[in-house]
């Protein structure tokens, strides 16, 4: 693998580029010159190394770990395709990128088994734009070789998104019954399912929670247990938001009771809320769970509980993931839509309706209302 594929420029260049929007011309503001030692040797003076380390932390904080992994994976995919075609990665060539998009859409990029979806291709294009920007070079997505091909790909291959099945309350109760209440892992998983459902939380939001405020560097929120429920403070894509989780009608289905039980027996009073259970299920580690664990938990318990048992198991396995919890709350909560919208953190009611899998689509009948 060549250095062009992996080596990013000095962190100072990266930090400068992070402030730029790839689609717009760069701001023509003068930048302070690097110290002479940095120019000549490629290294920062010793008294700036600590500051550069902090800058690296801020660079990582600018995007989520999932986004960084996706961008790195897409760059490797593009680099592999370029090697196979004997094309140089640098400098960015819109015509080459247009051909790469075509290869992705036709399923002929680096031996892909099937064509990439439109959403995947759009993500790959965003990844290339970002990666080139970090190398100090601009990829113009408005160039006709890219924009025209991408428009054709959307027109020909765009399809409605495949939504995950909503986990309804009766489904969730059946899923909880598949977990062993006598084990730490079972207590943890019960708390994750109930909190994820009642809070309408994303899987990354569930595992990103800490017990309290400002307890870990990678934490993305914390909880506060009150008499009537629990306040969850989250750092999302658009800033901070608060989610109120009320107590359940019974202890068996109450997310607060489930969480308090997990914290008590896991002896957690500080740091990550949901952690790995180690030592053959008898000890709790210090490491935070990966968000993929939530998706696996939802899928595993849904299959074990026989949710959508009318379908073949192979098809059922593709229907459930972390978003099934959010969709379940949106689809089952019998309250004014604006409360569901607030709970899910959506900017529009239209986005909330996309999560309502089993809502009454014909509650407002315009045919009858028009007099027919």
């Amino acid at each position: 693998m060549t250095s062009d594929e992996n080596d990013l420029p000095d962190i100072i260049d990266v930090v400068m580029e992070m402030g730029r929007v790839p689609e717009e011309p760069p701001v023509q503001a003068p930048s302070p010159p690097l110290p002479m030692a940095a120019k000549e040797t490629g290294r920062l003076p010793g008294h700036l190394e600590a500051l550069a380390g902090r800058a690296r932390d801020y660079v990582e904080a600018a995007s989520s770990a999932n986004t960084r992994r996706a961008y790195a994976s897409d760059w490797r995919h593009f680099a592999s395709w370029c090697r196979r075609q004997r094309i140089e990665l640098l400098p960015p060539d819109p015509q080459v990128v247009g051909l790469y998009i075509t290869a992705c859409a036709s399923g002929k990029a680096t031996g892909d088994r099937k064509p990439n979806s439109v959403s995947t291709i759009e993500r790959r294009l965003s990844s290339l734009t970002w990666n080139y920007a970090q190398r100090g070079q601009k990829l113009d997505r408005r160039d006709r070789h890219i924009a025209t091909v991408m428009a054709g790909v959307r027109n020909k291959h765009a399809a409605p998104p495949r939504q995950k099945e909503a986990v309804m309350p009766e489904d969730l109760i059946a899923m909880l019954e598949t977990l062993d209440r006598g084990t730490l892992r079972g207590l943890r998983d019960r708390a994750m399912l109930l909190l994820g459902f009642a809070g309408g939380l994303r899987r990354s939001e569930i595992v990103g929670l800490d017990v309290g405020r400002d307890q870990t560097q990678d934490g993305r929120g914390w909880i506060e247990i009150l008499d009537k429920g629990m306040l969850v403070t989250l750092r999302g894509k658009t800033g901070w938001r608060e989610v109120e989780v009320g107590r359940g009608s019974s202890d068996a289905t109450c997310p607060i009771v489930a969480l308090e039980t997990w914290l008590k027996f896991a002896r957690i009073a500080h740091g990550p809320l949901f952690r790995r259970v180690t030592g053959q299920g008898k000890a709790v580690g210090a490491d935070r769970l990966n968000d993929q664990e939530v998706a696996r938990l939802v899928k595993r318990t849904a299959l074990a509980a026989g949710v959508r048992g009318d379908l073949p198991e192979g098809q059922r396995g593709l229907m459930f993931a972390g978003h099934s919890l959010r969709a379940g709350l949106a689809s089952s909560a019998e309250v004014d839509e604006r409360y569901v919208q607030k709970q899910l953190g959506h900017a529009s009611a239209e986005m909330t309706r996309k999560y309502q899998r089993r809502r009454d689509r014909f509650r407002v009948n315009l045919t009858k209302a028009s007099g027919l």
Side-chain angles (χ1 to χ4, degrees):
M1 189 169 292
T2 66
S3 59
D4 286 342
E5 295 172 30
N6 288 317
D7 292 345
L8 292 180
D10 186 270
I11 191 66
I12 297 298
D13 298 321
V14 175
V15 174
M16 290 171 61
E17 287 293 334
M18 288 298 293
R20 299 180 183 171
V21 180
E23 293 288 349
E24 300 295 334
V27 179
Q28 299 299 322
S31 300
L34 291 176
M36 185 61 67
K39 289 184 177 181
E40 293 177 353
T41 67
R43 294 174 59 88
L44 288 173
H47 68 282
L48 291 180
E49 288 184 359
L51 194 60
R54 180 62 62 88
R56 291 187 186 93
D57 293 339
Y58 286 138
V59 169
E60 289 198 357
S63 57
S64 69
N66 286 340
T67 298
R68 293 194 299 274
R69 282 194 294 268
Y71 279 9
S73 175
D74 289 338
W75 182 254
R76 289 193 299 269
H77 189 270
F78 176 60
S80 176
W81 180 82
C82 286
R83 280 200 310 273
R84 290 163 62 96
Q85 310 306 319
R86 299 180 181 178
I87 298 174
E88 294 294 330
L89 274 171
L90 300 172
D93 185 338
Q95 187 172 5
V96 169
V97 174
L99 293 174
Y100 171 68
I101 291 172
T102 302
C104 290
S106 61
K108 297 180 179 180
T110 65
D112 292 342
R113 296 181 179 178
K114 61 180 180 179
N116 291 159
S117 66
V118 174
S119 60
T120 297
I121 295 173
E122 289 179 333
R123 190 204 67 219
R124 292 195 193 281
L125 185 55
S126 296
S127 298
L128 296 187
T129 304
W130 186 90
N131 274 283
Y132 274 123
Q134 307 320 302
R135 289 160 174 82
Q137 304 197 36
K138 186 177 186 296
L139 175 64
D140 185 5
R141 294 177 58 169
R142 293 169 295 187
D143 184 281
R144 63 187 180 86
H145 293 98
I146 298 176
T148 306
V149 171
M150 197 65 230
V153 169
R154 292 191 189 99
N155 287 340
K156 189 169 184 178
H157 299 295
R162 296 181 181 274
Q163 297 180 322
K164 296 299 181 182
E165 183 77 4
V167 168
M168 303 301 282
E170 60 271 20
D171 300 327
L172 182 62
I173 293 173
M175 291 160 62
L176 294 174
E177 292 301 317
T178 68
L179 301 172
D180 187 352
R181 301 188 189 188
T183 65
L184 287 171
R185 185 174 287 107
L187 295 178
R188 180 201 66 190
D189 291 350
R190 286 178 60 85
M192 285 200 298
L193 288 176
L194 284 167
L195 178 58
F197 182 93
L201 305 182
R202 300 175 177 87
R203 65 188 193 190
S204 59
E205 293 172 339
I206 296 173
V207 300
L209 289 172
D210 287 340
V211 177
R213 180 172 184 164
D214 299 330
Q215 293 187 343
T216 66
Q217 290 187 347
D218 64 337
R220 304 191 64 81
W222 66 90
I223 64 168
E224 184 180 359
I225 298 178
L226 308 171
D227 290 340
K228 294 184 178 181
M230 177 170 58
L231 182 65
V232 181
T233 304
L234 298 166
R235 182 174 64 201
K237 297 179 180 179
T238 58
W240 292 95
R241 66 186 181 96
E242 293 182 339
V243 175
E244 295 89 7
V245 178
R247 294 185 179 272
S249 56
S250 69
D251 288 352
T253 57
C254 177
I256 290 88
V257 171
L259 187 58
E260 289 177 323
T261 303
W262 156 245
L263 293 176
K264 175 182 177 181
F265 286 95
R267 298 180 180 179
I268 296 175
H270 186 278
L273 195 62
F274 295 114
R275 314 177 184 188
R276 297 193 178 281
V277 175
T278 61
Q280 296 181 338
K282 298 181 180 180
V284 176
D287 296 335
R288 186 186 307 278
L289 279 182
N290 185 286
D291 62 351
Q292 291 287 345
E293 296 290 342
V294 178
R296 284 191 280 265
L297 170 63
V298 173
K299 179 179 294 188
R300 183 178 68 252
T301 53
L303 292 177
V307 180
R308 290 307 306 270
D310 56 309
L311 299 175
E313 185 168 343
Q315 184 176 347
R316 291 170 60 216
L318 300 174
M319 298 178 66
F320 299 99
H323 259 61
S324 297
L325 299 176
R326 281 168 62 81
L329 177 71
S331 301
S332 60
E334 297 293 338
V335 296
D336 192 293
E337 191 175 71
R338 68 178 184 271
Y339 295 113
V340 179
Q341 179 182 340
K342 178 179 182 296
Q343 190 81 344
L344 299 185
H346 289 156
S348 67
E350 182 61 31
M351 177 60 71
T352 301
R353 294 188 190 106
K354 292 180 180 179
Y355 281 73
Q356 295 172 328
R357 305 289 194 262
R358 305 182 191 179
R359 66 185 174 91
D360 185 359
R361 297 179 181 273
F362 302 102
R363 181 173 56 86
V364 177
N365 189 325
L366 294 181
T367 305
K368 290 183 178 180
S370 67
L372 298 180

